[in-house]
Amino acid sequence: MFHAVKPVLKADCSAGQSGEAIPFETAVARAIALAKPVRETVSLVGALGRVCAADICSPISLPPFDNSAMDGFAVRTADFDGEGPWTFRVAERVVAGDVRALENLDPRTALRIFTGAPVPWTFDAVVMQERCERIGDTVTMYERPRRGRHIRFAGEDVSADSELIRRGKGLSAGDLTLLASVGIVDVQVLRKIRIGLLSTGTELKEPGEPLEHGQIYNSNQIMLSSLLAACPWAEIVDFGMVPDSLGLLTDVVARAVTSCDALVTTGGVSAGEEDHMVVAVQAHGADLDVLNVAMRPGKPLKVGRIRKTVFAGLPGNPNAALIAFRQIVLPALRRLAGLAEIQPQWFSAVAGFNCKKRQGRTEFVPVRISGRTEMGEPVLEMLERGTSANLMAIALADGVALLPPEAAEITNGMPLRYEPFGT
């Protein structure tokens, strides 16, 4: 498995502002550096997918007492003297949930016991019922058990005070089951982050509305909201579409800054006369950083802060917005939510295609798995070069391949990094 970001040196904050393209890794690192999470307490019922805010240790051992792993008979191995078979009197019947101490039982006695029932402390083995023959109040056993046979000992799964969950983990159903099994009712999590979504462009129409010449449907809003819907640590605030109007954009930014932890916009971040998004956020005191990233697609990108709100201005072209969001903005949002694992998951793959590329630029191309190597690595077929606006290839793709900046050419069989769209 690979991670998209390698350690980088702290970058000069002025880089990218003079028009020079900054490395992709630097852009990711700066976006991540903007985030700071907030904590709250919730019940286990509402904690699925939430981000654990503090290390959690077990208040008890698990299991909390020695118990039988089988239906059978509890015995004391010291009572097995001489050659078998051995016959014992059945003194008691012990079921799951039995709270009796059962002390001072006579030697050479056995207990009828069932799975999950507590094993009294003087008994040190359980003989499964298939190895016994019971007649009335006696039971005959034909094998000598070893000490501890068929007993689940207290603490063998989890010991008291041992660490269960680490801070920064998104809580899964398995995690919550473990916490419930040790009696934990509430858990400290990081508050869901409120993420505002805003699309800009006079040319945009909502799907279902009639199109006039020169207009297009807004696909970016559904793309971003769909990606974030899979993030249980996020709450989406939809600010809809705003035309290319500085006054209207400034008003929407004002509302977003007062209600959201992050604002993600698409469109209006280039250098055209109708690209007003940057001016609108700067009117509210925005401190912007990454401007020009050496990547394809997704080169024009703005990230920064509008007071306490993290801002990410994505390109308007759908593919560029998708790649910039997944590779740069989503890791920053995951850090803002407090997750420990914030980078995309990259897997080893090999190229099943040939293409030339510009050296010094990181490229992301839509790919489909066309086969497997002898080692089981996916062989990737490039669907197209990943232009900023084309959507069919992305819809057909299994994921994206990263074409590294140092390469001038990708050749068949070359090792690549691959990110499935399902992650």
Side-chain angles (χ1 to χ4, degrees):
M1 182 184 300
F2 292 91
H3 292 283
V5 177
K6 301 173 184 177
V8 295
L9 296 176
K10 186 175 181 181
D12 182 351
C13 291
S14 63
Q17 296 181 0
S18 61
E20 65 175 292
I22 65 172
F24 163 69
E25 291 88 351
T26 303
V28 177
R30 291 199 191 164
I32 291 170
L34 297 169
K36 298 186 187 298
V38 180
R39 69 173 62 187
E40 64 182 0
T41 300
V42 298
S43 70
L44 289 187
V45 175
L48 182 63
R50 300 295 297 275
V51 181
C52 186
D55 295 343
I56 302 176
C57 294
S58 180
I60 63 171
S61 297
L62 194 67
F65 52 85
D66 297 349
N67 67 91
S68 178
M70 294 284 179
D71 290 347
F73 294 87
V75 294
R76 290 168 284 207
T77 55
D79 289 337
F80 285 74
D81 53 358
E83 297 295 325
W86 299 268
T87 300
F88 302 99
R89 183 176 66 84
V90 179
E92 293 284 354
R93 185 172 184 272
V94 189
V95 300
D98 199 322
V99 297
R100 295 175 296 165
L102 295 180
E103 296 176 342
N104 302 318
L105 294 172
D106 294 336
R108 297 191 63 82
T109 56
L111 307 176
R112 178 64 168 127
I113 198 165
F114 296 89
T115 303
V119 177
W121 70 272
T122 58
F123 289 74
D124 57 5
V126 171
V127 180
M128 59 192 304
Q129 60 189 15
E130 291 81 1
R131 299 284 192 267
C132 303
E133 182 181 1
R134 182 173 182 177
I135 300 174
D137 290 337
T138 64
V139 58
T140 299
M141 302 177 185
Y142 297 92
E143 67 174 25
R144 185 196 300 268
R146 59 176 172 79
R147 189 174 183 274
R149 182 68 169 166
H150 299 315
I151 293 178
R152 293 187 292 234
F153 289 100
E156 72 174 39
D157 186 12
V158 174
S159 59
D161 298 323
S162 63
E163 184 177 81
L164 301 178
I165 312 288
R166 286 196 172 184
R167 175 185 178 182
K169 187 178 189 303
L171 294 169
S172 66
D175 295 327
L176 300 183
T177 302
L178 177 61
L179 295 179
S181 72
V182 297
I184 291 176
V185 177
D186 300 318
V187 59
Q188 277 198 331
V189 297
L190 296 172
R191 176 177 60 79
K192 284 188 178 185
I193 59 173
R194 290 171 58 84
I195 303 172
L197 298 181
L198 169 65
S199 296
T200 70
T202 304
E203 76 280 13
L204 297 178
K205 299 288 282 186
E206 292 287 3
E209 296 179 349
L211 286 181
E212 296 184 17
H213 181 69
Q215 295 181 325
I216 60 173
Y217 288 122
N218 178 16
S219 60
N220 284 332
Q221 203 79 352
I222 188 65
M223 179 262 288
L224 293 177
S225 60
S226 297
L227 289 172
L228 288 171
C231 304
W233 39 264
E235 179 181 337
I236 302 170
V237 182
D238 192 344
F239 290 102
M241 300 184 310
V242 179
D244 292 314
S245 163
L246 179 58
L248 292 175
L249 287 171
T250 303
D251 290 343
V252 174
V253 171
R255 287 192 283 128
V257 168
T258 59
S259 61
C260 296
D261 302 293
L263 173 63
V264 180
T265 68
T266 56
V269 294
S270 296
E273 292 181 4
E274 293 300 314
D275 293 321
H276 301 302
M277 195 68 244
V278 172
V279 178
V281 298
Q282 287 177 334
H284 293 283
D287 181 15
L288 300 182
D289 196 347
V290 178
L291 301 181
N292 216 3
V293 186
M295 62 186 289
R296 176 185 178 183
K299 183 176 179 179
L301 174 70
K302 311 288 190 296
V303 297
R305 279 190 173 275
I306 315 169
R307 298 196 285 273
K308 293 184 178 180
T309 301
V310 173
F311 171 74
L314 301 174
N317 285 322
N319 282 354
L322 173 65
I323 295 301
F325 179 79
R326 285 182 67 99
Q327 304 302 326
I328 297 178
V329 177
L330 191 54
L333 295 177
R334 289 171 65 86
R335 170 60 58 83
L336 184 63
L339 286 160
E341 293 291 330
I342 62 174
Q343 300 294 352
Q345 288 187 321
W346 292 91
F347 299 89
S348 298
V350 299
F353 58 91
N354 299 288
C355 72
K356 294 186 182 298
K357 64 174 289 293
R358 182 190 300 174
Q359 232 174 350
R361 182 173 67 185
T362 302
E363 293 194 25
F364 300 88
V365 295
V367 292
R368 183 165 48 196
I369 297 175
S370 61
R372 296 275 175 178
T373 68
E374 291 183 358
M375 300 297 293
E377 293 177 314
V379 177
L380 305 178
E381 169 194 356
M382 184 171 66
L383 298 179
E384 67 170 31
R385 196 54 183 270
T387 58
S388 294
N390 293 353
L391 291 174
M392 181 58 79
I394 289 292
L396 295 174
D398 294 321
V400 294
L402 186 152
L403 310 186
E406 65 273 12
E409 184 177 7
I410 306 300
T411 57
N412 191 51
M414 181 176 176
L416 291 178
R417 295 191 281 178
Y418 163 68
E419 183 199 6
F421 276 152
T423 60

